[in-house]
Amino acid sequence: MKKKDQQFYLVDLKILPEAIKKTIRVKEMLQDGTCGSINEAVKKVDINRSAYYKYKDHVAPAFETEKDKIVVLFLVMSDDFAVFNRVLRRIVKDRNEIISLNRGIPAEKLVAVTITIKTEESLSYLQYLQETIKEMKGIQSLIFEARGELT
């Protein structure tokens, strides 16, 4: 399947076919170290290797670990792509993952931007990131909301 043809959905695990559930379980067992090999894991969950290989690249949890935090940044900034680019570069500099990005329609040389990121960083880091972005030239305001345990 071509990348442009891919579509993603959040689906309740309960409605998935057994082969996909077992594939997910195999991936979990390999990741947490319960099993040391694919052969061992597929035998434990009673799925054949071909079914595992068929689905393994097509299933993943919505949130990889309990450490993941979802942070939404609400910005009002100058309608200048250089400012926008500096903000994005600052966010990804520390290996945060940008999940979604919404840049509104400019009005009076300002634009509203919403950026959703996934991070494993601490609350103190997020506060530092917020202050760093707030201090950038062209940023009028910044509010952030976080989901996940912030420590």
Side-chain angles (χ1 to χ4, degrees), residues 29-83:
M29 292 169 78
L30 292 170
Q31 185 174 8
D32 68 16
T34 305
C35 292
S37 70
I38 293 171
N39 278 338
E40 181 184 355
V42 296
K43 284 178 186 174
K44 275 192 178 180
V45 299
D46 191 32
I47 184 176
N48 61 44
R49 285 174 52 96
S50 63
Y52 168 73
Y53 282 108
K54 179 179 180 179
Y55 297 118
K56 77 175 184 69
D57 294 330
H58 302 285
V59 295
F63 301 103
E64 289 292 331
T65 67
E66 292 298 317
K67 295 181 200 173
D68 290 343
K69 295 165 200 66
I70 303 300
V71 179
V72 182
L73 304 168
F74 302 96
L75 299 109
V76 176
M77 62 188 350
S78 299
D79 182 24
D80 180 355
F81 278 104
V83 174

Side-chain angles (χ1 to χ4, degrees), residues 79 102-107 110-114:
D79 182 24
N102 184 18
R103 186 175 184 279
I105 298 170
L110 294 176
V111 65
V113 176
T114 305

Side-chain angles (χ1 to χ4, degrees), residues 83-96:
V83 174
F84 186 59
N85 190 28
R86 278 195 304 271
V87 170
L88 295 179
R89 281 194 326 239
R90 179 61 194 99
I91 290 169
V92 297
K93 178 181 176 187
D94 296 321
R95 298 194 177 133
N96 298 307

Side-chain angles (χ1 to χ4, degrees), residues 10 31 60-73 91-101 115-122 125-126 129 145-148 150:
L10 288 177
Q31 185 174 8
F63 301 103
E64 289 292 331
T65 67
E66 292 298 317
K67 295 181 200 173
D68 290 343
K69 295 165 200 66
I70 303 300
V71 179
V72 182
L73 304 168
I91 290 169
V92 297
K93 178 181 176 187
D94 296 321
R95 298 194 177 133
N96 298 307
E97 179 183 343
I98 296 177
I99 297 174
S100 70
L101 180 50
I115 304 170
T116 306
I117 65 172
K118 182 167 66 171
T119 185
E120 291 183 16
E121 299 293 343
S122 65
Y125 164 79
L126 292 172
L129 178 65
E145 293 248 343
R147 183 194 109 7
L150 296 176

